[in-house]
Structures are given as structure tokens and as C-alpha cells.
Amino acid sequence: MTQAAPTLMRRIRGMMFKMPLMITCEEFDDFILAYLEDTLSAREKFVFELHLKVCRDCREYLAAYRASLELARKCGKEPDEALPPVPDDLVQAVMEARGR
Amino acid sequence: MQKGDRSSATEPDEGEAIAAVANADPAAAERFVRKHAGWMLAVAMRIVRDAHHAEDAVQNAFAKVFDNIGGFGGRSALKTWMHRIVVNESLMLLRKTNRSQTVAIDELQPVFDNNGCRIEDRWMSMETPETLLMRSDIQAQVNGKIDLLPDNYRIILVLRDIEELSTQEVAQLLEISEANVKVRLHRARAALKRLLEPLIRGQAV
Ligand SMILES: [Zn+2]
């Protein structure tokens, strides 16, 4: 496994992130949810995508975040056809409760 | 507002089912229960994570459905309406359950240095979700990790990303602000990403 970017590299990037239209990774992180929901303003989206272009760490982070989200969406729920049969005692209990 | 089948137009047999239940035809009512109990149980299980409590939630939900179906005016699809009811009943029961092993959410959040730069291990390779989804154990792996999240985060992820409720609906159900829903969802997703990382990096056994 490779290590995180070395301290000097990060310090240089930290300076770069102070330039106009630049945001830090931490600020970028706060925008991820809104970016994926497509609720950023045009300017915010531009700034977000600019950071994405210059920052490999955030590119990798966002890719993994999206992959994890997709796995949760696809694995969290089984299709209706794949559901186990309904327990008979549950049906009975529901029907009995209804009769009362 | 809602994706998937739950928002689809009225099913052909829906009117018949509603009428049968409202008119207390026992055979039709039982068909109605058998038709819907399966998916309702699955929803309840995803929320309460306990078979016994899930069955209780479904029973309570059907009681609400039978009590209120006369007033159900078809404002939404029947399944959407019933889905909200079983979610609500499951949340009520969840408050009573004590789930065991969960992780500390703070320890799974991204880390930044003093300059706001991300500190992450670099990725040498990344498995695509398509590849991972072909693994036979993928459902168990992913659901096992979702289960590790503390309930106040897990539930937001389940309701938003799996049950596909809107931020507004989740905020109303849990009686918290929409901003709070968004913050917790992002933290839950970040934590899940960390838990799934060995898998996504192709390092998992
Ligand atoms: Zn970054």
C-alpha cells in the first residue's frame, strides 16, 4: 500500500488552495453531498470541479465515495421477486388482529 | 419526488384490493396481506434488524392500513402510502431495541491537515462496483458494514439511499432539520466508504 502524499507536497498544495477560485480539500468535502444531488450553483460547481481537476486525493476519494454509495444502493435492497415467502403465522396474526 | 415502482400509477388490481379490504371481505383481505407482507417485512428488517421486531412492525403497519384505508383517497400510489406506514412503525420499534456492536462514527471520517489538505492513502487500484457486484458474498459484506453504523447514522443512510425517501421526508419522520439529515447522511456515507475500502481497493479476502 502506498502512503499519503508527503508533508511538503501537502504544504505546496495548501498554498495553491488559497488562490482565487480554489478551495481546500476540507471545503471540497463539504460540497460532495450537494454536488452528487446536483444542487450546487453554477459557480460552486465550477469551483468544485476545478478542485477535482487539480487534486488527485479528492478525485480518488470521490471515486471511492461513489463506489461505496452504489454498493449500498444495489446491495441494501433485494428485488421483490427475490423475497423469502411470507411466514404464515404473520399472515394469521395480521388477519386475527383485523377481526378484533 | 420518488423514484421507482412506488410512484407508478395505480396498479390495475389496486382499486379492487382497496374495496375488498374496506368491505371486509376476509378472503380478499388475506390475499392483500400475502401480496404486501413480503416487501413490508423486508423494509422493516432493514430498519429494525431483528426478525421478531420486524414482524411486529409489519403487524402494526397492517393495523394502521386497515384502519385508514377507507380514507385513503389515492393521493399517492397505494404502495407508497403503505411504505411510509411500515417505515414509521419500524422507526417506532427501533427506538425500543438495543443493537449491539457499532463503530465510532468520528473515527471513520476523512482526515485533513492544518492546511485543509486531505490525508488519504493513495489508491493503487480500485475495483469497480460492477466487478464487486459479481461476488457471491457482496450483499452480506455490504449489509454487514451498514449494520456497523450507529443507528442514528445508519437509519438516515437506509432511508435516503436504500428506501429512497427524500431529505424532506426523512427530516419529517425523524423530527430533525433537513440540514441535520444532510450532515448525518454525508458522515454515514463517509464512514461506510471507509468500512468498504478494503473491498473497493481489492484487498479484502
Ligand atoms: Zn483535495
Side-chain angles (χ1 to χ4, degrees):
Chain A
M1 191 196 297
T2 32
Q3 296 300 306
T7 319
L8 178 62
M9 280 285 293
R10 282 210 311 274
R11 196 168 300 157
I12 294 167
R13 289 187 20 244
M15 285 161 63
M16 182 172 74
F17 294 157
K18 291 191 176 72
M19 288 162 66
L21 292 177
M22 287 288 182
I23 49 174
T24 65
C25 301
E26 203 165 0
E27 291 161 333
F28 173 93
D29 206 86
D30 290 337
F31 280 122
I32 289 178
L33 193 88
Y35 179 73
L36 295 182
E37 287 178 355
D38 203 17
T39 53
L40 291 180
S41 69
R43 185 192 156 86
E44 287 167 335
K45 194 171 167 187
F46 176 82
V47 167
F48 183 93
E49 287 174 346
L50 187 62
H51 184 95
L52 209 50
K53 279 205 182 76
V54 301
C55 182
R56 172 181 163 182
D57 293 275
C58 283
R59 272 201 305 278
E60 291 179 345
Y61 185 89
L62 185 64
Y65 184 103
R66 289 182 117 138
S68 161
L69 178 57
E70 192 176 338
L71 288 176
R73 285 186 170 141
K74 296 253 165 75
C75 295
K77 178 158 50 180
E78 58 279 31
D80 277 5
E81 311 84 73
L83 291 173
V86 180
D88 277 330
D89 58 341
L90 176 62
V91 176
Q92 264 170 26
V94 170
M95 291 305 291
E96 275 164 27
R98 178 178 162 276
R100 281 202 292 271
Chain B
M1 194 161 115
Q2 175 79 170
K3 286 189 303 237
D5 60 347
R6 290 199 300 274
S7 67
S8 63
T10 307
E11 294 168 40
D13 60 346
E14 200 169 89
E16 184 218 28
I18 294 171
V21 173
N23 293 329
D25 167 356
E30 186 172 333
R31 277 204 304 278
F32 178 82
V33 172
R34 286 196 184 278
K35 179 177 170 193
H36 293 286
W39 69 261
M40 288 168 76
L41 198 54
V43 172
M45 259 313 272
R46 287 195 285 274
I47 294 175
V48 301
R49 308 304 291 152
D50 171 277
H52 182 72
H53 285 304
E55 289 201 15
D56 283 352
V58 171
Q59 266 200 59
N60 296 345
F62 270 115
K64 288 267 157 63
V65 167
F66 289 142
D67 279 351
N68 296 296
I69 202 158
F72 171 73
R75 290 174 305 278
S76 59
L78 180 68
K79 199 170 171 186
T80 308
W81 179 68
M82 291 172 67
H83 180 260
R84 297 301 178 272
I85 293 176
V86 72
V87 165
N88 205 22
E89 293 303 321
S90 303
L91 289 173
M92 309 255 276
L93 279 178
L94 180 67
R95 293 185 191 117
K96 293 185 198 157
T97 63
N98 254 325
R99 293 199 327 121
S100 46
Q101 292 291 311
T102 60
V103 293
I105 200 91
D106 286 343
E107 285 164 22
L108 298 170
Q109 298 306 305
V111 183
F112 306 94
D113 69 10
N114 294 337
N115 294 314
C117 276
R118 193 180 290 283
I119 305 176
E120 282 269 314
D121 290 333
R122 287 268 156 100
W123 290 71
M124 295 311 288
S125 66
M126 190 181 135
E127 301 281 346
T128 64
E130 290 70 38
T131 313
L132 289 168
L133 285 166
M134 291 189 313
R135 289 176 60 134
S136 59
D137 63 340
I138 190 68
Q139 273 213 326
Q141 291 265 5
V142 173
N143 288 315
K145 301 301 183 205
I146 293 175
D147 253 358
L148 290 177
L149 302 174
D151 275 344
N152 52 345
Y153 290 92
R154 182 184 64 85
I155 212 63
I156 306 247
L157 186 127
V158 168
L159 295 180
R160 284 285 289 116
D161 291 340
I162 298 169
E163 300 303 327
E164 298 176 53
L165 299 187
S166 69
T167 300
Q168 190 191 11
E169 287 173 306
V170 175
Q172 281 169 359
L173 274 168
L174 299 177
E175 297 176 353
I176 57 177
S177 69
E178 290 185 33
N180 196 344
V181 172
K182 289 181 185 179
V183 169
R184 283 206 236 165
L185 177 63
H186 184 54
R187 286 168 64 79
R189 285 176 176 176
L192 182 64
K193 171 206 159 277
R194 275 285 289 282
L195 294 169
L196 288 174
E197 234 173 67
L199 204 67
I200 300 174
R201 285 179 190 263
Q203 293 161 346
V205 280

